[in-house]
Amino acid sequence: MPRPRLAPLVAATLLTALAVPARALAEPAPVEPWTADLTAVDGDDVGVAAGGGVLRLAPGAREGYLLLAPRELAGPVAAVAAEVDGSAPEGSAVQVDVRVAAGDGAWGEWLPAGAALPPGARTAQARVALTTGGAGGAATTGPEVRSVRLVPDTTAARAAQDDARGVVNGTTYRVFATREGLVGGTTANGHVITERDHFVALPSRRGLSPKGTGSYTVQVCADNGRCEWAPVWDVGPWNTKDDYWNPPATRESWKDLPQGTPQAQAAYLNGYNGGKDQFDRRVVNPAGVDLADGVFWDGLKLSDNDWVTVSYLWTASGLTGYVRTGGDGPLNVRGAASATAPQVGIAADYAQVRVLCQLRGQSVTGPEGTSNLWYRIATGKYVAKAYVTGVVGAKLC
């Protein structure tokens, strides 16, 4: 199914709300501004190049972004202003997005200027996105960025402290899934798609993981009981600004739709927006998620596009772990704490899992060592601790 990658962006000087740790002091400590390093273009960046002190689109690219290094926060921060020195010719744009990680280490969504971010922020990260509508995306016609200065604001930090004590349960919705395919193509985060690959696409950049990470992962389950935990590495289907899992107040577009209803679903089933997507194309299926071939065929055992249940794990609270298989492909999810128990699903390499509890079972050796502990990540679904990193303080089941 044809679908775009990244949508045109907006911006110049931005203000993004950040929240504060629950244990913050009564008088917020100052957090000093910092200047982004625009020269460090490496493997987690897509479609950009740096030279002569200027960040540009790479030759031939029509969109791209530079992922800046995470910044530990010295105190509670309520907002961050991104002061951008650059230029954006007509038809092009520059945008700075910010996300924060709280005490459990899980990243909140990428959000643009003025949007409130989850409470409990201890680490902040920014990305600089560039787009152009120029023919062929030639770098000479695209935007240029000479500097980005990030300026924290602590004046509203005290007011956010009470919110930091809340518990987020996460969101789960039933949406229509389509098979992405496109083997050999490149995803929105720069990953080259392989045969029987394991990732998903959602129609918003707000939940896009950098390449080789699972910061934003979904748990997608079919009606046959099988589930896969897969990172979000692409943008689509149909739309690119449709974070339908968010409530209308914070949803980027289509704010008149109910939370959990993808725009494509409303267009296809109810004629919403004249039955067309954001690019004025006729919507021919109600898809709210695209599945890479490995998720579609191996994880869920689907034979055709179908309705599935999707949980957006970054919206949940609790213990977080990340699957590490050492490049040996996806991890089997078992029906009991044993490598010989029936396979009931798959957890992709790099995927985030929410750990409910741990128990003793068959001893397994993996990239994280040898252990007889297993994690329960959903009812009746277990993964070996030897293949999961980052979990601290899991209780016994």
Side-chain angles (χ1 to χ4, degrees):
M1 176 181 68
R3 52 190 183 75
R5 289 292 181 260
L6 296 178
L9 308 176
V10 294
T13 300
L14 306 175
L15 182 67
T16 302
L18 299 181
V20 301
R23 63 182 185 183
L25 299 175
E27 295 298 328
V31 180
E32 296 299 322
W34 69 95
T35 300
D37 181 1
L38 302 182
T39 67
V41 178
D42 54 30
D44 59 13
D45 304 310
V46 182
V48 292
V54 177
L55 182 71
R56 302 180 176 90
L57 286 169
R62 300 190 65 176
E63 62 267 328
Y65 65 80
L66 176 70
L67 185 68
L68 302 176
R71 181 85 172 188
E72 296 300 321
L73 301 175
V77 174
V80 167
E83 298 176 352
V84 179
D85 177 16
S87 60
E90 184 176 359
S92 67
V94 176
Q95 176 167 316
V96 177
D97 297 318
V98 179
R99 65 177 181 174
V100 294
D104 62 1
W107 288 109
E109 285 186 8
W110 291 109
L111 291 177
L117 295 180
R122 297 186 182 181
T123 306
Q125 187 174 33
R127 69 181 179 189
V128 183
L130 294 79
T131 60
T132 182
T140 56
T141 65
E144 296 184 347
V145 179
R146 289 176 288 276
S147 70
V148 175
R149 185 170 181 262
L150 297 156
V151 185
D153 174 18
T154 61
T155 57
R158 178 75 181 275
Q161 291 181 24
D162 291 340
D163 293 337
R165 299 182 178 87
V167 176
V168 180
N169 295 319
T171 53
T172 297
Y173 294 106
R174 188 166 174 81
V175 299
F176 193 74
T178 48
R179 183 177 69 84
E180 175 160 343
L182 303 177
V183 174
T186 302
T187 66
N189 75 351
H191 170 72
V192 178
I193 302 173
T194 63
E195 292 186 3
R196 303 188 98 92
D197 215 334
H198 290 266
F199 68 87
V200 305
L202 292 177
S204 170
R205 290 186 310 108
R206 288 184 169 183
L208 178 65
S209 296
K211 183 170 63 175
T213 76
S215 309
Y216 307 102
T217 290
V218 296
Q219 173 190 325
V220 54
C221 299
D223 288 346
N224 59 16
R226 293 184 60 86
C227 298
E228 175 152 350
W229 286 253
V232 184
W233 282 358
D234 208 356
V235 177
W238 296 111
N239 296 297
T240 62
K241 293 185 176 182
D242 186 23
D243 51 324
Y244 60 82
W245 52 89
N246 283 325
T250 58
R251 187 169 177 167
E252 185 174 10
S253 300
W254 319 112
K255 293 177 178 290
D256 55 335
L257 289 176
Q259 184 177 2
T261 300
Q263 189 273 344
Q265 176 181 319
Y268 180 76
L269 297 179
N270 303 318
Y272 179 85
N273 194 44
K276 297 180 179 180
D277 69 358
Q278 75 181 71
F279 301 98
D280 206 34
R281 300 176 302 181
R282 177 68 58 182
V283 175
V284 297
N285 63 50
V289 62
D290 259 354
L291 310 178
D293 290 354
V295 181
F296 192 92
W297 287 322
D298 303 325
L300 302 186
K301 303 290 187 184
L302 295 176
S303 58
D304 199 359
N305 298 335
D306 206 348
W307 294 89
V308 296
T309 300
V310 180
S311 297
Y312 310 84
L313 297 186
W314 64 93
T315 69
S317 63
L319 294 181
T320 300
Y322 292 89
V323 174
R324 293 292 183 267
T325 66
D328 290 336
L331 176 64
N332 289 322
V333 178
R334 301 291 183 178
S338 170
T340 60
Q343 187 215 56
V344 294
I346 284 176
D349 200 10
Y350 302 106
Q352 180 189 112
V353 292
R354 290 287 177 171
V355 174
L356 305 180
C357 59
Q358 65 181 359
L359 71 162
R360 300 190 186 279
Q362 182 182 3
S363 183
V364 172
T365 300
E368 299 303 310
T370 299
S371 177
N372 66 351
L373 290 176
W374 288 68
Y375 295 132
R376 189 172 79 193
I377 59 175
T379 301
K381 294 179 172 59
Y382 302 84
V383 292
K385 180 181 184 294
Y387 288 92
V388 181
T389 185
V391 181
V392 178
K395 298 180 179 179
L396 292 176
C397 297

